[in-house]
Amino acid sequence: MNVSDHLRATLADEYGQSLADAVTEHHRAWLARHGDWSTWQQARAQLPRLDTAWRLQDGRLVAGAESASPGDLAELLRAFIPWRKGPLRLGSVDIDTEWRSDLKWQRLVSQVDLAGERVLDVGAGNAYFGWCMLAAGARCVIGCDPTQLFVAQHEVIRHFTGPAPNHLIAARLEDLPPALDGFDRVFSMGVLYHRRDHLDHLVDLKNRLRPGGGLVLETLIIDGPGDRVLVPDDRYANMRNVHALPTLTCLERWLAQAGWTSIQCIDCTPTTEVEQRRTEWMPFHSLAEALDPDQPGRTREGHPAPLRAIMLAQKPV
Ligand SMILES: C[S@@+](CC[C@H](N)C(=O)[O-])C[C@H]1O[C@@H](n2cnc3c(N)ncnc32)[C@H](O)[C@@H]1O
C-alpha cells in the first residue's frame, strides 16, 4: 500500500470514508501544485528495495537495511535537499539535518505521557517528531504541513521505515475539515509565530482535541517581564514571515483567551548553533547568518536572538 493509500485507510477507519476521501483528495491536489513534485516522485521511485524497519538511536531515526550502496543512495537523497529536521540515517546514509530536532524533543519528552494517544502534529515538517511520538508510546500520529518538499521527504523516509502509524497530510491546519478532531494531544511547534492570526490558531488547535485533551505549544518568545509583544516591521532572523513574538506573560494570556486551562511553561531555551546550523544536507543560510556577528544576543535586524518556550495546556473537560 502506498503512503497516501495508508493515510486514506487510517482516516477511513477513524472518521469514515467520505472524510478520508476528501482529505486524501486535498493532499494529492496540494502536492501536485508544486512544479518539482513529479521530479521528486521519479527520484523516490529509484530508491533501492531493501528490508524496512526503524528505530530511534540516540535521537537519530535509523531506518532501512544498511546494504544499499552509500554513494548511489546519497546521490538520490540529495534530490530532496534541504533536509531540515532530523537527524536521520536512511539505509547506509547519515543525513546531518539543519536542526538537531532531537534536542527539542529531549526538552519535553519527560513532561508528556503519550502512551496510547492519538496525536495531531501541526506543522510537522517531514514528520521527524512523529517517530519520536510513536517511540514514546503514541498509538497513531497524524501530521499536517503545507510544504510539499517536506511531504516528499516523509515519503522517502517511509520507503525506509515501512508502514507505520506516522502519517503526514499535505495541508495547512486551517484547510483540514473541522470533523478531523477528537485527538488526545495536539502539538504545534514552530508554527505560531508564522501565523498572522495567532488567536485563531490557538482556538483551532483546541477544537481538534477531545475534552480534557492536551496541547504542546513551542514558539519563539522575547525575554523580560510584562505583557508585551514584538512585531517585526520587516524580517526577523532573516525570516520574512514572523509576525509576533510575545513575552511569556503575553503568551499565557493568549492561551487563556483562546480557552486553554492548566497553562504552564516547561522550558525556555535560546537557540544555539549546536541545535541549528548549516550542514552538507542544508547548505543554505542558517542561524549563524541570522545573528549579528558584532552583537551577541541580537539578530542581524537588531532584534533579540531566538528564544523558544515550550508550553503545556489543557482543553477544559
Ligand atoms: C519552523 S517549522 C517547524 C517544524 C517542526 N514542527 C519543528 O518544530 O521543528 C514550521 C512548519 O510549519 C509549517 N506551517 C506553516 N504554516 C502552517 C499552517 N498554517 N498549518 C500547518 N503547518 C504550517 C511550515 O511548512 C513548516 O514546516
Side-chain angles (χ1 to χ4, degrees):
M1 195 187 296
N2 72 31
V3 180
S4 302
D5 290 342
H6 189 199
L7 168 66
R8 185 199 296 265
T10 301
L11 293 174
D13 279 352
E14 303 269 354
Y15 297 96
Q17 197 61 50
S18 81
L19 182 140
D21 288 347
V23 170
T24 318
E25 187 42 48
H26 174 92
H27 171 81
R28 291 208 167 119
W30 188 269
L31 293 175
R33 281 165 54 147
H34 198 288
D36 289 333
W37 182 251
S38 57
T39 313
W40 293 329
Q41 290 295 93
Q42 283 161 21
R44 190 164 66 87
Q46 291 175 51
L47 291 170
R49 295 210 165 277
L50 33 67
D51 293 338
T52 54
W54 69 273
R55 65 184 193 282
L56 278 172
Q57 190 181 320
D58 299 328
R60 179 184 307 270
L61 173 68
V62 178
E66 301 245 347
S67 49
S69 152
D72 298 346
L73 184 53
E75 204 41 50
L76 285 172
L77 294 172
R78 271 192 253 284
F80 299 88
I81 279 177
W83 288 87
R84 293 192 186 273
K85 309 297 172 177
L88 312 167
R89 167 173 267 249
L90 302 181
S92 43
V93 177
D94 276 317
I95 299 184
D96 186 15
T97 49
E98 177 190 20
W99 283 86
R100 286 278 315 276
S101 308
D102 55 312
L103 299 178
K104 186 188 290 190
W105 188 249
Q106 275 170 26
R107 294 199 285 271
L108 67 88
V109 62
S110 64
Q111 309 278 338
V112 184
D113 181 6
L114 297 179
E117 290 197 347
R118 285 180 62 248
V119 179
L120 177 66
D121 185 10
V122 174
N126 65 18
Y128 164 83
F129 288 114
W131 305 104
C132 302
M133 294 170 195
L134 291 181
R139 176 161 66 84
C140 175
V141 182
I142 295 184
C144 69
D145 201 293
T147 304
Q148 290 95 339
L149 173 64
F150 301 155
V151 180
Q153 291 176 350
H154 172 68
E155 294 201 349
V156 167
I157 292 169
R158 286 276 299 255
H159 178 89
F160 293 87
T161 61
N166 181 19
H167 302 279
L168 184 60
I169 305 170
R172 303 178 305 177
L173 174 64
E174 54 275 30
D175 294 334
L176 294 176
L180 188 67
D181 64 2
F183 289 89
D184 300 302
R185 186 88 56 176
V186 63
F187 282 73
S188 166
M189 302 197 291
V191 181
L192 187 68
Y193 49 86
H194 288 315
R195 296 293 307 271
R196 247 178 241 289
D197 44 3
H198 54 265
L199 221 51
D200 285 358
H201 184 66
L202 295 175
V203 169
D204 198 352
L205 294 171
K206 186 166 58 78
N207 290 342
R208 303 290 171 174
L209 289 176
R210 62 162 170 80
L215 167 72
V216 179
L217 176 76
E218 192 253 16
T219 195
L220 287 168
I221 60 164
I222 50 169
D223 199 10
D227 187 333
R228 292 177 297 119
V229 60
L230 167 68
V231 178
D233 50 8
D234 188 19
R235 295 184 178 216
Y236 173 83
N238 277 346
M239 293 181 277
R240 259 187 231 104
N241 53 355
V242 173
H243 299 297
L245 307 187
T247 57
L248 199 48
T249 307
C250 176
L251 182 57
E252 287 167 351
R253 176 174 59 79
W254 287 356
L255 283 161
Q257 250 176 307
W260 293 95
T261 58
S262 307
I263 299 161
Q264 54 166 319
C265 175
I266 57 165
D267 184 78
C268 259
T269 299
T271 307
T272 70
E273 288 173 49
V274 173
E275 190 166 351
Q276 185 191 12
R277 71 277 189 258
R278 181 202 293 249
T279 71
E280 181 195 346
W281 293 89
M282 204 303 290
F284 309 119
H285 283 183
S286 186
L287 181 65
E289 292 73 27
L291 298 179
D292 184 337
D294 301 323
Q295 280 196 81
R298 292 272 145 190
T299 68
R300 288 204 166 261
E301 304 85 5
H303 299 305
L307 172 67
R308 291 171 175 269
I310 303 177
M311 313 295 292
L312 301 184
Q314 205 185 5
K315 175 172 174 167
V317 180

